[in-house]
Amino acid sequence: MKTVIVIGALGKMGQAALTGLKNHKVITAGRSGEVDHIVDITSEQSIINLYEQVGHFDAVVNTVGYCEYADFGEMSESQWMTTVMSKMMGQINLVRIGQRYIAEGGSFTLISGILNVKPIPMAIADATTSGAIDTFVRCVAYELPRGMRINAINPTVLEEAWEVYGEMMPGFQPVPGALVGKAFERSVDGFITGEVIFVDA
């Protein structure tokens, strides 16, 4: 049994991840709500506080990354930076800072998203930062110390979130959260590293 920090545990993707982590001691975290720890991944100090409060842990699973959606021609620098600081730098910082705290042989699992390979209108910031996370994971795996592993889950839209996102994703086939949960389980419990695990129909 591993001690796993799940960030964004109350969200749809977080709930999907939890279905694959039933054999572990899960510590929940998020920006608000009834979680074990409050954390804002856009704040370095908040990330440090989370890791120091938890103490020993074997894995970090992140399921959050806020993105702004707008036509490229109308996207402001502020909207770009909001997305970059959450979906990209927030996740990079979870690893950059977390490597000092995580147990030997620990693992990080980040979240990207299918829109970097199947683009849709108004989602350029999401697609760009998802692509960055996929690249980061593939490359940083060679540099992590102490036997650490890192992977990214790149899912399509969840069945459980179809009512929210379905209208902006015509022609996409949603997948059940439990299937995405299996991808998180493979990342945490397996031995792969530097992999982008696609979950698509």
Side-chain angles (χ1 to χ4, degrees):
M1 177 181 289
K2 299 177 181 178
T3 298
V4 183
I5 302 173
V6 178
I7 301 170
L10 299 183
K12 298 293 187 184
M13 194 61 67
Q15 291 295 299
L18 290 175
T19 66
L21 302 173
K22 295 177 181 178
N23 294 327
H24 300 297
K25 176 186 176 182
V26 172
I27 296 172
T28 60
R31 291 189 67 171
S32 60
E34 295 185 9
V35 290
D36 297 321
H37 297 276
I38 297 296
V39 65
D40 176 0
I41 68 169
T42 66
S43 163
E44 289 187 50
Q45 189 58 54
S46 184
I47 293 171
I48 291 169
N49 291 345
L50 169 67
Y51 290 149
E52 291 189 344
Q53 289 166 11
V54 171
H56 174 85
F57 58 94
D58 304 290
V60 176
V61 169
N62 182 63
T63 67
V64 298
Y66 179 78
C67 297
E68 293 276 358
Y69 293 89
D71 289 329
F72 174 65
E74 299 175 0
M75 285 277 290
S76 66
E77 181 180 15
S78 175
Q79 287 177 301
W80 272 104
M81 290 308 297
T82 296
T83 306
V84 166
M85 291 307 296
S86 181
K87 187 72 177 275
M88 190 180 83
M89 281 311 305
Q91 296 200 86
I92 290 173
N93 282 337
L94 284 172
V95 180
R96 184 178 65 84
I97 298 167
Q99 65 182 330
R100 304 196 299 263
Y101 293 90
I102 199 166
E104 183 170 352
S107 71
F108 297 91
T109 304
L110 306 184
I111 189 78
S112 57
I114 206 66
L115 299 183
N116 69 316
V117 293
K118 292 185 176 181
I120 63 171
M122 301 183 69
I124 185 64
D126 188 340
T128 301
T129 50
S130 288
I133 289 300
D134 285 354
T135 300
F136 170 71
V137 161
R138 289 187 178 109
C139 296
V140 80
Y142 294 101
E143 299 191 44
L144 292 178
R146 299 189 293 116
M148 296 174 197
R149 298 183 301 108
I150 185 169
N151 300 294
I153 310 301
N154 186 317
T156 191
V157 62
L158 297 175
E159 287 180 355
E160 293 83 352
W162 185 248
E163 286 188 9
V164 177
Y165 296 105
E167 187 174 341
M168 62 187 294
M169 301 178 73
F172 283 71
Q173 177 64 45
V175 295
L179 183 62
V180 178
K182 290 294 184 183
F184 282 99
E185 181 179 7
R186 184 180 169 210
S187 177
V188 173
D189 290 346
F191 66 6
I192 60 171
T193 188
E195 295 288 332
V196 177
I197 304 173
F198 288 91
V199 187
D200 195 10

